[in-house]
Amino acid sequence: GTDLGGLAFGVWGLAFKPGTDDMREAPSVVLLRQLIGAGARVNAYDPEAMQAARRTLPAQWFESGRLKLVEHQYDALDDVVALALVTEWKPFRYPDFGVVKKRMKQPIVFDGRNLYDPAELRGLGFEYFGIGR
C-alpha cells in the first residue's frame, strides 16, 4: 500500500557506491524519499556516508524522527519490518543472519545489490526479494 505510517524500515548503505561517502544521485536518497513520504520511519547505516547524509538529506527528516542514522549496521534492524540493502559494502556481504532475524520485527529483505542467495535466506525463514533478479 501507499500508507506506511507506523512502520519502520532498515537501510544498509547510503553512499552511491562502496568505498566512498558520495551521495550524489544515490539510490538510497530515492528510497528514503519514498519511504518517508509514505509515512515510514527509517533506521539507516553506512560505513562512510553518515556525515554526508547529515549534510545532504533534509533536516526535517532527522528532526521529526523519520530518519535515524545508527552507529552499527545491526542497530538499523531494531524493530523494523524489512531491511533494504542499497550499497554493497563488504560488511554487508556476510552478516550474521541469526542476529539479523532476531533484531527485526519481521524477517523481510529487499536486496538491491543481489548479494544474498535467495534459497539460503528463504531457508533461514526470511521473505526475500532480489531487486532486478
Side-chain angles (χ1 to χ4, degrees):
T2 57
D3 180 11
L4 300 177
L7 300 177
F9 293 80
V11 172
W12 279 357
L14 296 169
F16 176 71
K17 64 180 181 176
T20 180
D21 69 351
D22 189 353
M23 291 192 54
R24 291 174 295 168
E25 299 184 34
S28 64
V29 177
V30 174
L31 177 63
L32 291 172
R33 195 169 282 124
Q34 291 174 341
L35 289 171
I36 293 169
R41 289 178 293 106
V42 178
N43 299 331
Y45 174 78
D46 187 287
E48 294 292 329
M50 302 293 263
Q51 287 187 15
R54 287 188 201 286
R55 288 189 310 268
T56 305
L57 299 173
Q60 178 193 7
W61 290 356
F62 298 106
E63 294 163 2
S64 68
R66 292 286 180 200
L67 177 59
K68 180 180 177 183
L69 301 180
V70 299
E71 293 187 29
H72 189 274
Q73 73 186 58
Y74 293 112
D75 293 342
L77 306 174
D78 291 338
D79 296 319
V80 301
V81 295
L83 166 65
L85 173 68
V86 182
T87 312
E88 66 274 20
W89 286 94
K90 284 184 183 179
F92 304 152
R93 290 185 187 271
Y94 303 102
D96 182 332
F97 284 112
V99 172
V100 171
K101 188 174 180 184
K102 186 175 184 176
R103 292 186 80 160
M104 295 178 75
K105 195 177 224 178
Q106 293 179 291
I108 301 171
V109 173
F110 293 94
D111 183 355
R113 307 312 300 168
N114 293 308
L115 287 184
Y116 308 132
D117 179 281
E120 178 185 353
L121 262 70
R122 289 183 182 117
L124 292 171
F126 286 87
E127 204 171 328
Y128 175 86
F129 301 92
I131 309 302
R133 243 184 226 268

